Amino acid sequence: MMQLYGYDTINTLKVLMLLMETDSEFEYVPINIRAGEQHKPEFLAINPAGKVPVLKDGDAIQTESNAILLSIARDQGWGLPENSNEYKAMISWLFYQASTQGPHFGQIEYWSKHAKAPNPEALAQHRSIANRTIQHLDDQLKEKPFLCGQTCSIADISLFPWLHIHEHLGLTLRGAENLDLWLERIRKRPAAKKALAFFGPNSMFEK
Ligand SMILES: N[C@@H](CCC(=O)N[C@@H](CS)C(=O)NCC(=O)O)C(=O)O
């Protein structure tokens, strides 16, 4: 059985969502990154980078949430567009998530929730870029229900978690109705509901 090493975090949530969508059997192994368990030798033997999520399937160990999404999608036959242009768009969205949405939304969380000394300039800069991503996503969803077309793909799963908690980050979707509708469309999916409830009522994903 596959093992998912994770914690109550954005990148673990992505993988959980796909495991739920594909009805995959897995064992969840919590790694408490707030308590530093990611630095323990036992975990570093699994991921020397000291980060979650990690998916272990037999002797295959995979890190990087978007790479894990691609592998599960391929193995389970879910969430990969068949149309070649849509497939290419899906790959671009995964890179956009990892290079733009993830880092800037992550920095907003850091500067607004965790930093010991405030830095309003850094926070404003990351919020400004996050607002551009919101506008961009909203524009891209004008004529289609999901990022790559008519069906939900791993691009939607990858971009969803940070947007799900946008209010927690002090961001608004006012004026981004297409994106707001997309968010609701995904939240209503039974698999997304199960994944959002996975960490219990105290998780930031439960609202
Ligand atoms: N690019 C990686 C990011 C993984 C990552 O940053 N994980 C965080 C939690 S979401 C972590 O393990 N942080 C602990 C640490 O860096 O010490 C992915 O997409 O999986």
Side-chain angles (χ1 to χ4, degrees), residues 9-11 14 33 38-39 50-53 63-66:
T9 66
I10 295 291
N11 290 311
K14 293 177 191 173
I33 60 170
Q38 72 275 34
H39 303 302
K51 288 189 178 285
V52 292
T63 61
E64 290 298 319
S65 56
N66 289 344

Side-chain angles (χ1 to χ4, degrees), residues 3-49:
Q3 289 172 310
L4 171 63
Y5 295 78
Y7 197 59
D8 183 359
T9 66
I10 295 291
N11 290 311
T12 299
L13 177 64
K14 293 177 191 173
V15 178
L16 276 172
M17 287 174 73
L18 185 55
L19 290 170
M20 303 291 181
E21 285 286 356
T22 53
D23 260 327
S24 300
E25 274 192 29
F26 66 98
E27 178 196 355
Y28 178 66
V29 184
I31 301 297
N32 187 340
I33 60 170
R34 307 260 181 270
E37 287 178 10
Q38 72 275 34
H39 303 302
K40 290 195 173 161
E42 309 87 270
F43 183 69
L44 292 174
I46 293 162
N47 183 9

